[in-house]
Every structure is written in C-alpha cells, then in structure tokens.
Amino acid sequence: MRRRDGDTEPSGTVRRLHVVTRLGVLGGTFDPVHHGHLVVAVDVRAALDLDEVLLVPAGDPWQKRGRVVASAEDRARMTECAVASIDGLSVSRVEVERPAASVTADTLEALAAPDRELFLVLGADAAANMPTWRRLEDTRHLATVVVVERDGEHADPPGPGWSWTHVRVPRLEISSSDIRDRIAAGRPVDGLVPPATLTYLREHDLYTFGR
C-alpha cells in the first residue's frame, strides 16, 4: 500500500491511524495467523483501552531464519484476511516492505507519531528472550511492554527503567506449527484459523508441501 497525500503512517498500514493516540503493536511471523493471535489482540485492546492494535507480520525474522514456511507476502495477506472484520484490529506491512531484517526498535520508530503512546505486545516467552534482541536499549524508550500471560507464565523486565505491564489471557492450545503439520497431513484446521484466512491458504496451496 502506498502512502497517500495526508497519510502520516509508514507504507503498509491498512487503516489510517492519524487519530490514534494509544496504539498496540503485536508482531509475529503469523505462519499462519490463528485465533490465538486474535484473542490476544482483542483482549489487550480491551484491557488497556487502546484505540487500535496493529498486527505486524515479520518480513525477515532473523531469529527464525530457516523455520518460516510461507512468504512474507502470503503471511501478510493471511493476516489482513483475519482482521478485516474485527473492529480495532489492523495490519501493518512496515516490516514486510523493509529490505533489512525485522528489528523491533526500527518498527516502533516507524510507527511513532506526536502525541502517540505505543504498547508493544509480547508473549511471556518472547519477553524472556528480549536480552537477545538487537537495539534492546533503544526499545526501552519507545514503548510500554505488555506481556500477555497465561496460567503458569510470567516474565520480568530485562533490566531497570522499562515501562512494563501484564495482561492475562486465556490459554488456547493452538499453534502455527501444529496448523502447518495438520495441513501437511491432510487433517482439517477449520476452527483454528479465521475462515477468510483458511480460504486464502487453501486457494494458494500453502503448507501442503506438494501433498
């Protein structure tokens, strides 16, 4: 998506966000996106009274190289299908269109705007992995970190000076890897992924591995 006159968002933001002051940012490979991702986004938006939550598919997830199956374009399209009918959720292609590796601090800087507060939404496992991130110290000053926790999960900040909060979400036993395995084996995934996403991945023969 190209930026139009008057737009202030980076190329790839599906809905115009010039009036958004409290913006959630939920990144991921979304390979594929599933209902668990959507529940997190909806619950965090409600819990923190956010104007919008952006799902940001990773273009080149450098920590998962070799493990991502679908192309960045397909993952972005599937995510756009998933959120199209959900109020308060949208998709940014800012990382998909970036020629370099996906780095959280770069993305937050691209989404920043005057009078806007950013909320970086992470799972407890991703939060625990933060010490391995590139530009970690820059990230600390760019957003409030929102750790979504399920039963038995918890993560603390990687050091002092972080704006940090927690949101409890239900545990849904859904994973992208399991969905890929089920599709490859010819098993149904209805009910695990949004219907529009399911239509897209079937039309584009994703995850079948030549079955």
Side-chain angles (χ1 to χ4, degrees):
M1 178 182 291
R2 295 184 179 275
R3 192 182 304 187
R4 297 169 294 179
D5 292 342
D7 280 348
T8 58
E9 300 307 316
S11 175
T13 303
V14 171
R15 299 175 188 168
R16 297 179 66 178
L17 302 175
H18 61 279
V19 297
V20 171
T21 59
R22 292 173 61 82
L23 178 64
V25 180
L26 174 59
T29 52
F30 302 125
D31 191 26
V33 66
H34 54 67
H35 284 304
H37 298 127
L38 303 183
V39 168
V40 166
V42 169
D43 278 6
V44 168
R45 179 173 181 253
L48 299 181
D49 195 26
L50 304 182
D51 299 309
E52 191 92 1
V53 173
L54 275 183
L55 279 71
V56 185
D60 176 12
W62 60 277
Q63 289 190 317
K64 291 189 175 181
R65 284 177 181 159
R67 291 183 287 155
V68 179
V69 178
S71 70
E73 175 63 24
D74 281 329
R75 291 184 286 104
R77 291 285 299 278
M78 287 189 286
T79 310
E80 289 164 356
C81 290
V83 306
S85 62
I86 303 177
D87 184 51
L89 303 189
S90 52
V91 175
S92 173
R93 288 171 170 255
V94 62
E95 292 192 4
V96 170
E97 296 179 353
R98 182 182 298 144
S102 297
V103 176
T104 300
D106 295 343
T107 298
L108 294 174
E109 287 175 342
L111 295 172
D115 301 319
R116 174 175 296 164
E117 188 174 4
L118 297 177
F119 296 81
L120 177 63
V121 183
L122 301 174
D125 54 346
N129 193 48
M130 288 178 73
T132 70
W133 287 11
R134 299 176 181 179
R135 299 189 61 201
L136 179 63
E137 287 304 304
D138 297 327
T139 307
R140 178 174 57 183
H141 306 291
L142 293 170
T144 294
V145 175
V146 182
V147 180
V148 292
E149 296 179 341
R150 301 164 182 87
D151 290 341
E153 296 179 343
H154 182 76
D156 293 315
W162 287 83
S163 178
W164 196 268
T165 190
H166 303 82
V167 172
R168 301 290 296 177
V169 297
R171 180 180 293 278
L172 301 181
E173 299 297 339
I174 306 174
S175 72
S176 295
S177 60
D178 179 61
I179 290 169
R180 296 194 301 268
D181 290 345
R182 291 173 69 94
I183 293 172
R187 298 167 60 199
V189 294
D190 305 77
L192 300 176
V193 298
T197 298
L198 182 58
T199 297
Y200 181 92
L201 66 85
R202 284 174 172 167
E203 289 177 348
H204 292 80
D205 198 28
L206 299 178
Y207 310 119
T208 60
F209 302 102
R211 174 177 51 80

